[in-house]
Amino acid sequence: MACAAVVLTVTGLLGTATGAAYADDPKPPTKGAPAPADDSDAQRLDDVRKKIDALYRKAEQATEAYNAAKEQVELQQKEIVKLARTIDATQRRRTTLKRQVGALASAQYRGGGLPAEAKLMLAANPEGFLDNALLARKGQLAAKRLISQLTKIQGDLESYSHSATDRWERLEANRKKKENAQRDIKKKIDAAKELESRLAAKEKDRLKKLEDEQAFKQQQKWLDSGILDEISNTASAPGKKAISYATAQIGKDYVWGAEGPDTFDCSGLTLRAWEHGGRTIPRTSQEQWRQLPHVALKDMRPGDLIIYFTDASHVGMYLGNGAIVHAPRPGRQVTITGAGTMPILGVVRPDGDARHDDAAH
């Protein structure tokens, strides 16, 4: 937390009126300030901002879909390898059993294949035959068990074969999802970059200011709700470690699908941060939202993860004082910004417990 406080203070991210944090601390528009010389040009630039935001939002949605498919591909590959080893061991066991059954069949053939009753009637020494009847019975039971085992193993192999086919089909389906998401990400990012490339240098500066002003308004609206008056919890020991890791990544580039150590996407950053805090959490923001314990916004504490947008496609780590650290989008770096700059879906706690599951609803 000391590390986070230093970063917040040095970069001038703490608001003077509310004590809230916001990246670059843009100033709200001054009342009575003169309107831009060309309102139509300002509107055009704002339209460009909205289009670029929408494209990057779609790219982020595709990124989380890519991350989910990639995780499933890796999991299914491991399952297929494990299943292949099981099939190989079962086939070797079946070969051994077949050999044993064959040996029993050969022994029966050499014995004439007569049933036990016929051998009793024809035996020159019936007493001797009866002495061996118990051993013969044990042999029959052993043969039945052997055949039963062979039948079961044959069934297991068929089941494993169907399972392997199913896993391969799911693997291929997820590979296609991953490839489609990858193409979609590239398409959206290229389109956003193309829009930005058409702007002159001055317009790009104005575009950045427009982004900051919009984020400032959203943050201020969130703060005006009085939410910080209710949030006063402190970070847990694992949470402090996670915060320390996350804030140490500030300035590193956002790269979709990246989990560090040099680049990150939004959920890749929270994954590694909480791994540093001693907790294993899901890879994607959607699964973090689905699997981790929920907490009410008023009960939020530093280290908790704030999930954004109705589709849970973005995540940031709460630092306290109304701020989060997150990996925003392509073309940006890991940074600190206001927790209310995006629509909040809810809050999850990686080191929480299941009793909080319904707290946020």
Side-chain angles (χ1 to χ4, degrees):
M1 287 305 295
C3 173
V6 169
V7 173
L8 288 169
T9 303
V10 170
T11 54
L13 302 181
L14 293 176
T16 55
T18 61
Y22 175 67
D24 296 332
D25 196 21
K27 306 302 179 188
T30 304
K31 290 183 179 179
D38 190 341
D39 287 339
S40 62
D41 187 54
Q43 183 60 51
R44 178 188 65 82
L45 199 57
D46 193 52
D47 289 341
V48 170
R49 176 192 66 79
K50 289 176 181 176
K51 288 178 182 178
I52 290 173
D53 283 349
L55 286 167
Y56 278 127
R57 276 280 302 118
K58 289 177 181 178
E60 186 165 50
Q61 291 168 343
T63 295
E64 291 303 282
Y66 169 87
N67 289 335
K70 179 173 177 283
E71 188 175 41
Q72 285 301 310
V73 165
E74 291 170 354
L75 177 63
Q76 285 155 4
Q77 285 174 332
K78 290 177 183 178
E79 288 178 347
I80 287 170
V81 169
K82 183 179 179 181
L83 188 58
R85 288 172 179 164
T86 302
I87 290 173
D88 181 62
T90 305
Q91 285 176 331
R92 282 189 272 110
R93 175 64 178 153
R94 182 183 65 173
T95 300
T96 300
L97 288 172
K98 276 187 171 182
R99 193 179 299 116
Q100 292 174 353
V101 170
L104 283 174
S106 297
Q108 185 181 27
Y109 176 79
R110 288 194 300 271
L114 292 174
E117 294 81 358
K119 290 183 179 180
L120 177 61
M121 294 295 295
L122 297 174
N125 182 9
E127 292 82 1
F129 175 81
L130 290 173
D131 289 339
N132 293 322
L134 182 59
L135 290 175
R137 178 61 178 164
K138 288 181 178 179
Q140 289 175 346
L141 291 174
K144 285 182 179 179
R145 281 197 299 269
L146 202 61
I147 292 171
S148 176
Q149 288 177 19
L150 185 59
T151 302
K152 181 180 181 302
I153 281 182
Q154 189 64 38
D156 287 345
L157 277 174
E158 290 177 5
S159 175
Y160 293 150
S161 176
H162 290 313
S163 183
T165 301
D166 178 62
R167 280 172 168 78
W168 273 113
E169 288 174 352
R170 282 188 286 156
L171 176 65
E172 287 307 307
N174 277 303
R175 278 178 175 160
K176 287 179 182 177
K177 285 181 184 177
K178 179 182 165 186
E179 290 168 1
N180 290 337
Q182 190 170 8
R183 283 193 293 269
D184 199 24
I185 293 164
K186 188 176 185 304
K187 180 180 176 182
K188 298 295 188 298
I189 292 175
D190 287 349
K193 287 181 177 178
E194 171 64 20
L195 279 174
E196 288 179 303
S197 70
R198 296 175 191 171
L199 301 174
K202 288 183 179 180
E203 288 182 312
K204 288 179 182 179
D205 290 339
R206 288 173 59 199
L207 181 65
K208 180 64 170 63
K209 288 180 181 178
L210 278 174
E211 291 176 356
D212 291 342
E213 286 172 4
Q214 180 63 26
F216 181 89
K217 289 176 184 177
Q218 291 173 332
Q219 172 73 352
Q220 196 62 47
K221 183 179 178 181
W222 185 68
L223 294 173
D224 288 345
S225 70
I227 187 64
L228 288 191
D229 296 336
E230 300 181 12
I231 301 173
S232 59
N233 298 314
T234 57
S236 64
K240 290 176 182 178
K241 292 180 181 178
I243 290 170
S244 175
Y245 180 91
T247 53
Q249 313 314 309
I250 289 172
K252 292 185 177 180
D253 287 339
Y254 176 106
V255 173
W256 60 267
E259 302 174 11
D262 299 320
T263 57
F264 297 88
D265 63 18
C266 68
S267 55
L269 177 64
T270 54
L271 171 76
R272 293 304 174 210
W274 268 102
E275 185 179 80
H276 187 78
R279 296 291 189 277
T280 299
I281 66 173
R283 170 62 179 94
T284 67
S285 56
Q286 287 95 344
E287 286 304 302
Q288 289 171 7
W289 172 245
R290 191 176 72 85
Q291 295 186 36
L292 297 177
H294 291 196
V295 296
L297 201 61
K298 65 182 179 61
D299 296 325
M300 182 168 59
R301 70 189 185 196
D304 287 347
L305 305 182
I306 303 181
I307 309 296
Y308 293 96
F309 304 105
T310 55
D311 59 359
S313 58
H314 190 73
V315 60
M317 179 181 291
Y318 187 59
L319 297 176
N321 296 320
I324 61 166
V325 58
H326 73 145
R329 66 166 176 78
R332 297 286 188 266
Q333 293 74 40
V334 175
T335 189
I336 293 174
T337 192
T341 56
M342 296 165 284
I344 295 174
L345 177 62
V347 180
V348 295
R349 181 164 294 165
D351 59 340
D353 58 67
R355 289 176 297 177
H356 294 89
D357 278 352
D358 298 321
H361 302 292

